[in-house]
């Protein structure tokens, strides 16, 4: 079982090397992380974009492009299309966002002709390593789906379970987050959480997956809180996945972990035929490297 993000990096080094297509690779921080991942032996990069800018940045960083495939993108949309095509045609294993808007990359990913569309829903999964928690914590969806309804939440949780299982967990525990534990028609998040928990009990998410809800955030991550509230649970205080009701909740909790709890993190988009590494310019170099490793281990599976 992979217990830390550094452990993720080490585990990926022992797996077959994956080929990563980077769309609009002319981004200094992205290229730095990509070349560090290459040096670590976890990926073979294919760089798509403005060739002259890519060459200039690589030279400034002191990285050699010898043996690295660099393809010209005529503009940002063309770079996204070519990077995604590499994956859909089996010439790369997963794709990463470079210096372009997320919407441009996702338009290529969802293209009916050459994209990576599936019957699933694209959703964002963040993996955090908080210092005050005893395990890695997966949070979804704080990056893509704004206010998903029940069917969408089921797909979002399935995507997160796939990501969690890449960490070789024997059992995955998921908490459907709401403001309280009692189901109330006045609070739709509690109704959805209860419905998802019942689906899980019927085997919707597969073997080795326990889903409970609704659970407040404190119960999901604190056994002490559960004991004080006399709340009996298999998940309370031991959650692997937090399924949040809206993007605002996931975004706020995730950024609180990063900026107030100094948590390491990695992020990925799930639900396509291959992982999509989508990092923020504000993400640390370390986070970008871990995100590439996360994409690589999921692509390996």
């Amino acid at each position: 079982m992979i217990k830390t993000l550094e452990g993720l990096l080490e585990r990926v080094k022992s797996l077959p090397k994956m080929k990563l297509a980077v769309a609009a690779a002319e981004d200094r921080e992205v290229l730095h992380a990509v070349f560090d991942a290459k040096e670590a032996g976890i990926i073979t990069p294919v760089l798509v974009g403005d060739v002259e800018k890519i060459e200039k940045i690589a030279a400034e960083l002191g990285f050699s492009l010898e043996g690295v495939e660099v393809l010209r993108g005529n503009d940002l949309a063309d770079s996204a299309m070519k990077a995604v095509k590499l994956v859909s045609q089996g010439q790369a294993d997963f794709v990463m966002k470079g210096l372009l808007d997320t919407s441009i990359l996702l338009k290529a990913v969802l293209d009916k002709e050459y994209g990576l569309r599936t019957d699933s829903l694209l959703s964002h999964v963040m993996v955090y390593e908080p210092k005050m928690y005893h395990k890695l914590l997966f949070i979804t969806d704080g990056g893509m789906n704004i206010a998903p309804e029940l069917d969408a939440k089921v797909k979002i949780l399935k995507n997160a379970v796939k990501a969690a299982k890449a960490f070789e967990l024997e059992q995955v525990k998921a908490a459907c987050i709401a403001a309280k534990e009692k189901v109330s028609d006045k609070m739709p998040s509690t109704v959805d959480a209860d419905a998802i928990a019942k689906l899980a009990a019927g085997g919707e998410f597969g073997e080795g997956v326990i889903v409970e809800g609704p659970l407040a955030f404190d119960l999901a991550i604190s056994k002490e809180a559960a004991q004080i509230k006399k709340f009996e649970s298999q998940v309370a205080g031991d959650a692997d996945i937090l399924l949040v009701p809206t993007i605002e909740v996931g975004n706020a909790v995730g950024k609180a972990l990063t900026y107030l709890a100094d948590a390491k993190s990695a992020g990925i988009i799930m639900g396509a035929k291959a992982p999509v590494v989508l990092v923020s310019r504000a993400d640390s170099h370390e986070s970008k490297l871990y995100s590439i490793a996360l994409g690589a281990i999921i692509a390996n599976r």
Side-chain angles (χ1 to χ4, degrees), residues 202-242:
E204 181 72 24
F205 300 96
E207 294 183 8
V209 181
I210 300 173
V211 182
E212 291 186 3
L215 268 74
F217 180 82
D218 59 339
L219 292 186
I221 63 165
S222 171
K223 288 185 178 179
E224 182 181 6
Q227 289 169 355
I228 291 170
K229 292 184 176 181
K230 295 181 172 56
F231 187 82
E232 294 186 9
S233 165
Q234 296 182 77
V235 173
D238 197 37
D240 297 294
I241 298 172
L242 303 184

Side-chain angles (χ1 to χ4, degrees), residues 177-283:
I177 300 300
K180 63 179 184 177
E181 294 72 57
K182 291 184 179 179
V183 179
S184 169
D185 290 338
K186 295 180 180 180
M187 196 176 291
S189 61
T190 65
V191 178
D192 286 352
D194 181 61
I196 293 168
K198 287 174 179 174
L199 286 172
E204 181 72 24
F205 300 96
E207 294 183 8
V209 181
I210 300 173
V211 182
E212 291 186 3
L215 268 74
F217 180 82
D218 59 339
L219 292 186
I221 63 165
S222 171
K223 288 185 178 179
E224 182 181 6
Q227 289 169 355
I228 291 170
K229 292 184 176 181
K230 295 181 172 56
F231 187 82
E232 294 186 9
S233 165
Q234 296 182 77
V235 173
D238 197 37
D240 297 294
I241 298 172
L242 303 184
L243 174 67
V244 299
T246 65
I247 196 170
E248 291 89 355
V249 175
N251 183 276
V253 170
K255 287 181 177 174
L257 289 172
T258 298
Y259 291 101
L260 297 179
D262 196 25
K264 297 178 181 179
S265 64
I268 201 82
I269 290 180
M270 299 289 291
K273 292 178 182 177
V276 179
V277 181
L278 193 151
V279 294
S280 166
R281 293 184 68 83
D283 287 343

Side-chain angles (χ1 to χ4, degrees), residues 88-162:
S88 65
Q89 294 173 353
Q91 298 174 52
D93 299 295
F94 64 124
V95 66
M96 182 175 186
K97 172 183 175 286
L99 191 65
L100 77 171
D101 290 343
T102 299
S103 60
I104 297 174
L105 179 59
L106 294 184
K107 183 178 180 180
V109 169
L110 292 172
D111 186 272
K112 291 181 180 179
E113 183 180 350
Y114 57 77
L116 305 173
R117 182 190 292 266
T118 69
D119 292 335
S120 188
L121 175 74
L122 294 187
S123 62
H124 196 250
V125 180
M126 284 295 296
V127 188
Y128 292 93
E129 187 180 326
K131 294 180 179 179
M132 300 299 290
Y133 197 56
H134 62 285
K135 59 165 74 174
L136 294 172
L137 193 60
F138 297 74
I139 298 181
T140 192
D141 179 347
M144 283 199 69
N145 295 282
I146 297 171
E149 296 184 354
L150 177 59
D151 288 348
K153 287 178 181 177
V154 171
K155 291 178 179 179
I156 289 168
L157 184 52
K158 285 181 177 179
N159 286 342
V161 168
K162 286 181 182 178

Side-chain angles (χ1 to χ4, degrees), residues 2 5-18 36-43 289-290 293 296-297 300:
I2 299 168
L5 289 174
E6 195 60 36
L8 166 68
L9 199 56
E10 291 303 312
R11 180 73 180 94
V12 174
K13 290 178 183 178
S14 69
L15 298 175
K17 197 181 295 185
M18 295 285 100
D36 278 357
K38 175 182 178 292
E39 292 298 316
I42 65 176
I43 61 155
L289 182 57
Y290 289 145
I297 199 167
N300 253 294

